[in-house]
Amino acid sequence: SDVCSSDLDGAILFDPNSKSEILNATEKLIYNDFLRKSMITKGYQIKQKFSWKKTLTETIDGYKSIL
């Protein structure tokens, strides 16, 4: 499964083996202020879904389920 999904609008997906796609994605962020600011805002929203406490709890629960 993907780490990020394009429907989240918090990431620009590109082929990491394609220099032109990397360049295109970078240029979008440099030259499109609206896109950059909206992605930053969306990134902060997505970040709220994650915490060290949640990670720890889910890891412990995972270990308990297999033991």
Side-chain angles (χ1 to χ4, degrees):
S1 74
D2 291 333
V3 172
C4 45
S5 172
S6 60
D7 66 324
L8 295 175
D9 298 324
I12 296 176
L13 303 181
F14 59 87
D15 178 357
N17 298 310
S18 170
K19 291 178 183 178
S20 63
E21 285 191 35
I22 294 169
L23 177 62
N24 187 19
T26 303
E27 286 179 338
K28 284 181 184 179
L29 291 174
I30 291 171
Y31 297 114
N32 188 330
D33 288 338
F34 177 78
L35 175 64
R36 184 176 56 255
K37 289 175 183 176
S38 66
M39 287 183 63
I40 289 169
T41 300
K42 190 65 174 181
Y44 281 118
Q45 293 170 354
I46 294 167
K47 175 183 155 276
Q48 298 304 313
K49 296 179 182 181
F50 302 94
S51 73
W52 284 112
K53 183 176 181 174
K54 181 178 177 184
T55 300
L56 176 63
T57 302
E58 290 181 6
T59 301
I60 290 171
D61 290 346
Y63 282 128
K64 286 180 180 177
S65 72
I66 61 174
L67 294 179

